[in-house]
Amino acid sequence: MKALLSSALFLSLILSLASPAFSQVKESWKYLTKDEIVWQEVNSLGNLIVETRSALIGVNPETGKEIWSCSQFGSLPHEQIKTIEGSPLLSISQADAISIIEPFQGK
């Protein structure tokens, strides 16, 4: 009986401590696009890069506001866009050219 009571108390303690972990997190912001999102990533510097069917887009990860958009890079596979090691720059490989842009203003 004593073991059953201590087990019940232990279980209730665990459940009461775990319940905040299962509570729903409040959404900070929502970013809506006009197009389907192909892929997205947060790079090592914290830049949120979103690839849609029509553009490569930089989004402020704290506010969800669009910072820049490059329509010439729409619908590219993720493998074609790489962060240049040791720099904040992005390398974009296309069939006929390689473009370099910085992720803060998209230039």
Side-chain angles (χ1 to χ4, degrees):
M1 180 72 168
K2 204 176 202 182
L4 182 59
L5 183 57
S6 64
S7 294
L9 285 172
F10 179 72
L11 181 60
S12 66
L13 176 65
I14 295 295
L15 290 176
S16 68
L17 291 175
S19 63
F22 295 114
S23 63
Q24 205 166 24
V25 177
K26 186 177 179 226
E27 181 178 285
S28 296
W29 52 264
K30 184 182 283 189
Y31 178 71
L32 300 174
T33 66
K34 299 176 187 113
D35 260 336
E36 175 186 352
I37 293 176
V38 178
W39 57 264
Q40 62 184 337
E41 77 171 20
V42 176
N43 69 10
S44 61
L45 295 174
N47 304 99
L48 176 56
I49 310 296
V50 178
E51 177 68 28
T52 68
R53 295 277 176 222
S54 62
L56 182 66
I57 301 167
V59 177
N60 182 321
E62 293 180 13
T63 64
K65 302 279 188 226
E66 185 175 303
I67 303 169
W68 53 266
S69 177
C70 295
S71 59
Q72 69 268 34
F73 302 125
S75 205
L76 292 177
H78 190 252
E79 303 80 48
Q80 288 183 249
I81 302 175
K82 305 260 189 234
T83 300
I84 298 174
E85 192 173 328
S87 81
L89 303 174
L90 300 174
S91 169
I92 302 170
S93 302
Q94 294 175 294
D96 58 345
I98 295 176
S99 302
I100 306 293
I101 65 170
E102 56 86 29
F104 303 103
Q105 297 178 359
K107 294 180 180 183

